[in-house]
Amino acid sequence: MSVARRSGNSMSMNLRHAAALALVGLRASIRVARHHTKEIAIALVLAVVAAIAIDRYYKWERSEMMQNNRKAVATLTTFDESGSAVEQGTGFFITNNGVLVTAYHVLKGAATIRAHLPSGAYYAFKEIRAADEKADIAVLQFDATDTPSVRALGDSDNLRVGDEVYAIGTPSGLEGTVSTGTISNPVQEVAERSYIQFTASISPGSSGGGLFDEDGEVIGITAAVVAAPNAENLNLAVPINTYRTVLTGTAGQITRESPELYYSLGNLADNKEHWDEAIDDYQKAIALDPNYLNAYSGLGGDYFEKRQFDLEVANYLKVTELDPKDADSFYWLGTAYEDTGNFNDAVAAYVTALKIEPDHMMALHDLAILYLAEGKVDEAKELLPRISNLNPGWGNKLALLVKRIK
């Protein structure tokens, strides 16, 4: 106990000593302040003025960066072969010679694409520079030499929760719309993909637009509702570093001379009904990757269009070899066999499709028609309840055919 009292007394003395020293220092400061009040006041005023000026300059600089980035964000309109508009999305120019980044899904069904800037300028599509359907990224070249470009590409790996961001896009046709928010989750996993989740609002039509940080650098490519169609207020963007891997070819993604690129080019040629060009692209994809399933499927469809049915069968057979558990592949193989008049193999293919997916409507329908064509009325009748349950109209049609054949 005596030790404690000694310690307590010592502590009290130290506190009193510290307080005394602090009082001495305060009195000294007051004396100095009395002698230099004017100088201190002037310094304080100058400091406040400087702080206000710096804050205003920062806000002005940020506004200028936002305005410049807005000039480089384009509204994309895709058209089919007949010239009818198919889709509206967004993209942003990253160079002054017409290189634009957007979301891959914006290109689906497109025979050609047009870019329009808030300035009123229009640019015609020239070619795909790189693309990755899985990552939902496409890099397009437009016929231009004077496009505005975004300030810079940032680093999406350095994002933190709460960082301020803004998105620029064309939601519902409203060109150059800017919305602000913060990072909710720098790495949000959705459907086995990594996205940036943020609070700035985006809507259909904004897909492919830019997500920018406070410094005006692009940190993401907005994905709108495509990534999570059943989620509300879940605003997502593909990290810009994923775009870098697309260009550099890391993680197995697309660059020039890659199978994915040639497959994408084949898709665009198909949309234009340029079958020979599409076949050439798909064959180039297969030359680089002999197991590229989608390219074989594309070839099967193109050989059907060219009425080269034996080649159609050969390519769909390859598809079923590469993916023996896909009902659609066996269905298309069945249609190819029908095109060659090989009905027995067509029946076998449809039956296999139905073993994999019992409610495959097209396989049920075409199998019933084949049974009727071969006079196998009882086999066709067995399929009627399933067909009628899935599609009453088709069921009624087939029931009438059965009655007439009998």
Side-chain angles (χ1 to χ4, degrees):
M1 294 294 291
S2 61
V3 174
R5 280 198 295 271
R6 281 199 296 268
S7 297
N9 291 336
S10 176
M11 186 179 294
S12 298
M13 291 176 63
N14 288 337
L15 287 173
R16 287 196 295 272
H17 181 65
L21 289 176
L23 184 59
V24 171
L26 177 61
R27 287 170 179 168
S29 299
I30 291 172
R31 287 196 297 271
V32 172
R34 285 175 179 172
H35 287 86
H36 302 282
T37 301
K38 184 176 180 180
E39 289 81 354
I40 292 173
I42 293 172
L44 287 173
V45 170
L46 290 175
V48 171
V49 171
I52 293 172
I54 291 171
D55 182 62
R56 287 182 177 177
Y57 175 77
Y58 172 75
K59 290 180 178 177
W60 173 84
E61 184 182 39
R62 185 180 180 189
S63 176
E64 284 294 299
M65 287 188 297
M66 185 183 293
Q67 292 300 325
N68 289 333
N69 284 331
R70 185 175 177 272
K71 293 175 183 178
V73 176
T75 299
L76 301 181
T77 306
T78 62
F79 300 88
D80 60 21
E81 185 63 27
S82 67
S84 299
V86 176
E87 184 75 54
Q88 182 253 297
T90 306
F92 51 92
F93 286 104
I94 59 172
T95 69
N96 292 325
N97 63 345
V99 177
L100 177 140
V101 175
T102 186
Y104 181 92
H105 72 267
V106 173
L107 310 183
K108 288 187 176 180
T112 189
I113 310 162
R114 183 181 65 193
H116 177 256
L117 290 175
S119 65
Y122 284 91
Y123 299 99
F125 171 71
K126 188 175 182 181
E127 65 174 348
I128 295 178
R129 294 281 295 269
D132 189 333
E133 183 174 11
K134 184 177 180 180
D136 198 22
I137 295 175
V139 184
L140 311 180
Q141 176 69 61
F142 283 83
D143 191 6
T145 57
D146 58 350
T147 52
S149 60
V150 295
R151 183 186 180 216
L153 302 184
D155 186 353
S156 53
D157 288 342
N158 290 331
L159 296 176
R160 298 175 300 175
V161 173
D163 284 352
E164 293 186 6
V165 294
Y166 61 91
I168 305 178
T170 309
S172 303
L174 301 175
E175 194 168 50
T177 297
V178 178
S179 59
T180 60
T182 58
I183 297 294
S184 304
N185 190 339
V187 183
Q188 180 66 270
E189 297 294 330
V190 178
E192 299 182 352
R193 296 184 187 178
S194 293
Y195 293 94
I196 302 167
Q197 184 182 353
F198 56 97
T199 62
S201 61
I202 53 175
S203 304
S206 294
S207 294
L211 182 67
F212 301 84
D213 63 15
E214 283 188 295
D215 295 325
E217 296 183 348
V218 182
I219 50 152
I221 304 163
T222 56
V225 296
V226 174
N230 297 319
E232 294 182 1
N233 301 321
L234 185 60
N235 303 315
L236 304 171
V238 177
I240 199 63
N241 287 1
T242 303
Y243 156 80
R244 286 192 170 94
T245 64
V246 169
L247 288 192
T248 59
T250 59
Q253 295 173 328
I254 290 177
T255 59
R256 284 187 176 277
E257 303 303 319
S258 72
E260 291 87 356
L261 175 59
Y262 284 118
Y263 173 70
S264 300
L265 293 174
N267 282 178
L268 285 177
D270 278 339
N271 293 333
K272 297 177 182 179
E273 299 185 2
H274 295 173
W275 315 124
D276 290 331
E277 181 182 337
I279 288 170
D280 183 59
D281 288 327
Y282 292 139
Q283 288 175 338
K284 288 178 179 177
I286 291 168
L288 292 169
D289 181 358
N291 293 322
Y292 201 91
L293 183 149
N294 289 336
Y296 288 106
S297 183
L299 282 174
D302 288 339
Y303 284 126
F304 165 77
E305 297 291 348
K306 289 175 64 65
R307 301 297 185 264
Q308 295 177 271
F309 300 128
D310 288 338
L311 290 173
E312 178 194 8
V313 167
N315 281 280
Y316 282 127
L317 265 174
K318 185 65 176 179
V319 173
T320 61
E321 291 173 8
L322 292 171
D323 190 359
K325 295 183 179 180
D326 182 61
D328 285 338
S329 299
F330 281 97
Y331 169 72
W332 290 115
L333 176 60
T335 64
Y337 279 131
E338 280 199 66
D339 293 334
T340 63
N342 188 345
F343 298 138
N344 288 335
D345 284 341
V347 168
Y350 293 143
V351 169
T352 302
L354 291 169
K355 286 180 180 177
I356 299 169
E357 186 180 327
D359 289 337
H360 196 292
M361 187 63 237
M362 295 301 297
L364 282 167
H365 176 274
D366 288 13
L367 180 58
I369 293 294
L370 265 185
Y371 281 151
L372 291 174
E374 293 181 333
K376 298 179 180 179
V377 179
D378 291 337
E379 286 85 342
K381 285 177 65 177
E382 288 181 9
L383 298 176
L384 278 178
R386 294 162 64 185
I387 295 172
S388 298
N389 184 54
L390 294 169
N391 190 317
W394 283 9
N396 291 335
K397 178 188 72 173
L398 290 170
L400 288 173
L401 286 175
V402 167
K403 288 181 181 179
R404 289 184 179 181
I405 291 174
K406 278 194 166 184

